[in-house]
Amino acid sequence: MALDLGEADDTFSVRDLNAAIEAVLARGFRDEVWVRGEIQGLQRSAAGHLYFTLAERSDDGQGESTLRVVLFSRARDAVERYLGKYRMRLQDGMVVRVVGRVQFYGARGQVNLQMSGIDPTYTLGQMAAQRDHLLRQLVAEGLLDRNKRHRMPVAPYRIGLVTSRGSAAWHDLVSELERSGLGWQLVVADTRVQGEQAPAGIAAAFRALAMAQVEVIAFVRGGGSRGDLAALDHEAVARAIAAMPVPVLTGLGHEVDRSVADEVAHAVYKTPTACAAALVERVRSFEAAAQVAWSAIERRSTTLTQRAEQRLGTTARRLVADTHGAVALAGARLEQSEAAIRRAGRVVLADGDRQVADLTRRLRQRAPRIVVEAELRLDSWNAQVSALDPALTLARGWSITRTAAGTLVRDPAAAPEGTVLVTTVAAGEVRSRVEAP
């Protein structure tokens, strides 16, 4: 099959084709068009022009359509002033509805949208719809009021702080706490609070403070555009706040709308300074109440002590009077007892004298007989002792045999062959050695 290369005049040059495309687009898009999408890759040139891409994901999430947009400086000023009325500014991740003219940039073969205006209400509506959907979801899961159910500490001295360290919000809160002169313990979880990475960073900061044993957490940042505050409406931030085991206070620097973070938090304050002031007021109220209580205790203690001293003085005086009376009564009773004892003593002594005289007479009568009986018993005991005297036994020819160690030998088995024996007789000792039979 032969390839029909056609006439040379049928071949476009790149420039000619681009010019033809530009002409077709110019006829097809004579008027400006509205386009919606998400801003990506926002850049500002040295000349003040803005360049970005409008992106739209496919319904199946597998692809993405994009369109290059340019906002020249002469139109940019008007657009930014218009957005400023709604506290908005163009930034990445923002869903917008913009108007402009479709153009074909032949040098690059690229279709652009030369932007001239924007519909802020569309962006606000998208943000509000996303916010309302998230709030309904949090309510359905029981998370919207979870943090509010935590009991606020009576005197929260140990505070966790989620913010960007060194920012104006950080300085405002720290300065307010320091001016109070109270003994705060501040645990700072440093994180970005705006931008695409802010939600994940804020959620991670909350999780870190959940393990830091703080009593309350302050989440603060300065004011900004609605886009700057977009992280405050993010699901990850809302869920992180709801999961905190302690109350979360917000001071996010915006006064128009309450963010989702505010809705989920325990208490909401307009600014970081107001948030710090609320903490100072709570601790000072506790210290004032404690001082009042201590003063009441002191007064009550003083009153009770004075009453006790009065009762003690009355009791002491009564005790002295009662003691004097008791001593006088005891003295009188003692004198009576002494007299009775003396009378009884004389009777007892007289009776004792009679008993002693009677016993003396009886003893004199019985003494000779007792002496004779005692002498007879003594003679009998002497005779028995003499009969048992070993010396007399030995004199009659008996002997006592012991081993050299002094053990008395009563049985031949106790003196085996070779045993040295000491035999005691009337005239002395005889030593011998046992031999075999």
Side-chain angles (χ1 to χ4, degrees):
M1 180 177 180
L3 178 64
D4 185 3
L5 298 178
E7 297 295 332
D9 291 341
D10 295 337
T11 302
F12 285 96
S13 69
V14 172
R15 180 176 299 175
D16 291 341
L17 180 58
N18 285 344
I21 294 173
E22 183 176 5
V24 170
L25 288 175
R27 289 194 300 272
F29 295 95
R30 296 180 182 279
D31 300 324
E32 291 186 329
V33 297
W34 287 93
V35 185
R36 65 177 181 269
E38 180 181 314
I39 296 177
Q40 295 181 354
L42 182 67
Q43 295 179 344
R44 183 186 297 269
S45 70
H49 309 313
L50 293 181
Y51 299 93
F52 59 89
T53 298
L54 274 184
E56 179 183 13
R57 295 181 178 85
S58 61
D59 294 338
D60 58 9
Q62 300 299 317
E64 187 176 62
S65 299
T66 61
L67 174 66
R68 291 291 298 172
V69 179
V70 58
L71 179 60
F72 291 120
S73 59
R74 60 180 178 274
R76 188 208 71 214
D77 293 339
V79 168
E80 289 183 342
R81 285 195 302 271
Y82 186 42
L83 288 175
K85 297 178 181 179
Y86 295 88
R87 297 176 53 250
M88 297 172 62
R89 63 183 179 86
L90 296 176
Q91 59 186 13
D92 285 338
M94 188 174 181
V95 179
V96 295
R97 179 174 178 262
V98 299
V99 65
R101 187 173 300 278
V102 178
Q103 293 183 332
F104 185 76
Y105 185 34
R108 293 185 179 179
Q110 177 177 294
V111 176
N112 294 329
L113 180 71
Q114 182 178 330
M115 177 179 167
S116 60
I118 190 170
D119 179 11
T121 59
Y122 176 82
T123 301
L124 292 176
Q126 290 292 311
M127 295 173 63
Q130 294 174 358
R131 178 178 178 275
D132 290 343
H133 174 74
L134 177 56
L135 288 174
R136 288 193 299 270
Q137 185 176 356
L138 294 173
V139 170
E141 297 180 23
L143 298 179
L144 190 65
D145 296 328
R146 175 181 290 182
N147 194 260
K148 293 180 177 64
R149 291 195 290 269
H150 294 315
R151 185 183 297 275
M152 188 68 179
V154 176
Y157 287 99
R158 184 172 173 83
I159 301 171
L161 176 58
V162 176
T163 193
S164 176
R165 184 187 288 271
S167 64
W170 182 85
H171 283 292
D172 289 346
L173 184 137
V174 172
S175 298
E176 185 72 15
L177 294 180
E178 289 178 346
R179 280 195 296 269
S180 70
L182 300 171
W184 306 102
Q185 296 180 28
L186 197 61
V187 182
V188 181
D190 183 23
T191 183
R192 293 180 59 86
V193 292
Q194 67 184 56
E196 292 184 8
Q197 305 303 318
I202 294 170
F206 275 110
R207 289 193 295 270
L209 289 178
M211 299 182 290
Q213 297 182 342
V214 296
E215 298 174 284
V216 67
I217 296 174
F219 178 27
V220 301
R221 61 149 293 154
S225 68
R226 294 179 186 272
D228 293 337
L229 302 174
L232 306 182
D233 290 328
H234 199 279
E235 181 178 357
V237 174
R239 291 185 179 277
I241 294 174
M244 288 303 97
V246 298
V248 175
L249 314 182
T250 57
L252 300 175
H254 59 97
E255 300 181 2
V256 177
D257 298 320
R258 283 167 63 98
S259 66
V260 175
D262 291 324
E263 298 292 348
V264 179
H266 187 280
V268 181
Y269 300 94
K270 291 183 178 180
T271 64
T273 300
C275 183
L279 291 169
V280 171
E281 177 62 25
R282 187 168 186 86
V283 173
R284 280 183 173 163
S285 296
F286 164 75
E287 292 189 346
Q291 184 60 45
V292 170
W294 279 116
S295 298
I297 292 173
E298 182 180 7
R299 291 193 300 272
R300 181 61 175 168
S301 299
T302 301
T303 300
L304 293 176
T305 301
Q306 291 174 348
R307 291 178 181 176
E309 289 177 348
Q310 293 173 356
R311 288 196 298 269
L312 181 60
T314 301
T315 302
R317 289 189 296 272
R318 185 180 302 164
L319 181 60
V320 169
D322 292 345
T323 301
H324 286 314
V327 170
L329 180 59
R333 291 177 178 175
L334 181 60
E335 291 178 355
Q336 294 175 359
S337 298
E338 182 181 2
I341 290 172
R342 288 177 179 175
R343 291 192 299 270
R346 287 193 292 270
V347 173
V348 171
L349 289 176
D351 185 58
D353 290 341
R354 288 192 297 271
Q355 292 179 3
V356 169
D358 184 55
L359 291 174
T360 301
R361 184 174 60 257
R362 294 179 182 179
L363 182 58
R364 288 176 178 173
Q365 293 173 355
R366 295 181 56 188
R369 186 173 66 255
I370 292 173
V371 171
V372 171
E373 291 174 355
E375 288 178 347
L376 292 175
R377 285 196 298 272
L378 182 59
D379 290 341
S380 174
W381 290 341
N382 284 333
Q384 293 177 13
V385 170
S386 296
L388 297 175
D389 188 355
L392 296 178
T393 303
L394 293 175
R396 289 198 296 271
W398 295 91
S399 64
I400 300 173
T401 301
R402 297 181 176 84
T403 65
T407 302
L408 187 65
V409 178
R410 293 187 176 90
D411 188 340
E417 181 181 356
T419 300
V420 177
L421 301 177
V422 179
T423 302
T424 301
V425 296
E429 292 180 346
V430 177
R431 288 183 174 269
S432 59
R433 186 182 302 277
V434 178
E435 297 180 352

